[in-house]
Every structure is written in structure tokens, then in C-alpha cells.
Amino acid sequence: MNHWSSLSVLLLALLFIYILPYTFPSFSFSAKNMDGETSKSIYNFTVKDIRGNDVPLSNYNGKVLLVVNVASKCGFTQSNYKELNILYEKYKDQGLEILAFPCNQFGWQEPGTNEEIQDTVCTNFKAEFPIFDKVEVNGKNAAPLYKFLKAEKGGLLVDAIKWNFTKFLINKEGKVIARYAPSTSPLKIEEDIQNLLGSS
């Protein structure tokens, strides 16, 4: 009997968390800014860079953004950093910015301090794009930015970030245009980036 009771509670929890938001939009959770208003763009948020300094994302107004949760010890790490570097070098002068957020929630693959992460990213992966403070992207302590991103572009079956190197593409107005799975190669996104930049 206890087994069936536990199973019933689990199914009800799954229904509330994963099914109701799709069936009844009023059940959806959305990120709110400090005034309690639903955030309409990424520019409503301020984040911390890897040195702990506040960075208003409104600083990137008019840019095309690729927001990525990164990790230094993942099977996707080498290929993603390599291709992100290629995209950044190719399009940064046309208005592309890549915003990398280290996260240790997936297989504990970003265990270092901010200083260690920065050293690894700069030395081993030669990244020149901005690296930000290590964050959580899922759960009750998820960064407000990531709550917003997930609310704007849900994932397959569930909205939660599933692994390192999930990518969100943001247009020049700060709107979330697309979400790409961790397995999606950054270079596969190039055409979408070109379209938002207005290049061909």
C-alpha cells in the first residue's frame, strides 16, 4: 500500500511540475524582476562576472548573444570551446557576444573556484569571450537569468537544463529566439547567428 501511495504522490508531482504548465499556461512559472514584473527581455538582469563585478546585461543591448552553461571537464568541452572561439573570432566585430556561465550541476564537471576556471578557460581553451560567475541553472537556487531563459524557451519534455553546453540564442532586442541541446555543435548555429546579425 505504501508503495502505491508513494507512486501516486510522485505522479501528482510530475503532473504539477511538467504537464500543467504546457496544458494551462497560467500554471507556468516566469522570471520576475525586482519590481515583481515579468521580465520581457534579457536586459532586465544583472549578473556577476568571474571576478565578482556586477554586469548589467543591458550593456549588450543591440548585440546578438549566445548564452552557454559551460564546464571544464565535460566530454563536450574541447569541441564546444573550439567552435565557440571560431564563432566569436568570426562575428564579434559584427555584434556577436558569447556569454559563458560555468556550472557544476552536471557530473561535477566544473569543480574549481572562479579563479581556477578563468585560468583553465584562458590557458587551455584560449577563450576570449566573457566568462561569468559560476551559477546553478536548475533547482531552487537557479540564477534568475536561467529561470528566465528556461521560461522563454522550454526544453524537450521538461524545461530544465539537461547538461553542460546548452545554448540560448538572443536577438538584438534581448528576446530569446532559440534553444539548442548540449549535443548541438556551435558551428551548426552559425546560420541562425548570421540571420540575426543581418549578414549572409
Side-chain angles (χ1 to χ4, degrees):
M1 191 70 175
N2 286 338
H3 172 74
W4 289 111
S5 297
S6 299
L7 185 59
S8 298
V9 170
L10 178 61
L11 288 173
L12 283 172
L14 290 172
L15 174 70
F16 183 78
I17 295 169
Y18 297 129
I19 297 173
L20 286 178
Y22 292 98
T23 310
F24 304 101
S26 61
F27 280 89
S28 296
F29 298 99
S30 59
K32 295 182 181 296
N33 62 23
M34 293 180 68
D35 298 321
E37 298 297 322
T38 301
S39 297
K40 299 299 184 184
S41 89
I42 199 172
Y43 304 143
N44 291 80
F45 296 92
T46 295
V47 297
K48 289 190 180 295
D49 67 19
I50 203 157
R51 297 180 183 86
N53 301 310
D54 285 341
V55 180
L57 292 183
S58 57
N59 289 355
Y60 295 102
N61 197 337
K63 301 274 190 178
V64 172
L65 304 179
L66 190 62
V67 179
V68 189
N69 62 299
V70 299
S72 299
K73 301 178 184 297
C74 177
F76 293 130
T77 300
Q78 291 284 353
S79 61
N80 270 265
Y81 269 111
K82 179 181 178 180
E83 294 188 15
L84 289 170
N85 285 335
I86 290 170
L87 290 175
Y88 191 61
E89 183 62 29
K90 191 170 182 179
Y91 296 107
K92 65 181 178 181
D93 292 337
Q94 297 179 41
L96 173 69
E97 286 291 345
I98 296 171
L99 312 184
F101 289 86
C103 178
N104 194 40
Q105 285 188 291
F106 307 102
W108 300 281
Q109 294 177 344
E110 191 71 287
T113 64
N114 278 356
E115 293 77 13
E116 290 168 339
I117 292 168
Q118 184 178 29
D119 183 61
T120 298
V121 167
C122 294
T123 303
N124 295 355
F125 306 125
K126 312 299 182 189
E128 294 185 6
F129 46 82
I131 310 294
F132 290 86
D133 186 34
K134 186 157 69 171
V135 297
E136 292 188 11
V137 298
N138 291 329
K140 65 179 182 179
N141 296 321
L145 170 62
Y146 267 87
K147 292 179 181 178
F148 170 73
L149 293 172
K150 292 184 293 183
E152 293 295 294
K153 287 293 177 186
L156 182 64
L157 300 181
V158 297
D159 291 348
I161 304 297
K162 307 207 176 38
W163 199 252
N164 307 307
F165 296 99
T166 297
K167 306 158 190 76
F168 291 90
L169 187 61
I170 319 294
N171 71 9
K172 295 178 182 180
E173 289 74 46
K175 305 296 184 184
V176 185
I177 299 301
R179 171 175 172 164
Y180 307 92
S183 57
T184 301
S185 155
L187 291 181
K188 295 284 188 185
I189 303 170
E190 184 171 11
E191 185 174 348
D192 294 343
I193 291 171
Q194 288 175 340
N195 290 337
L196 291 184
L197 289 171
S199 60
S200 56

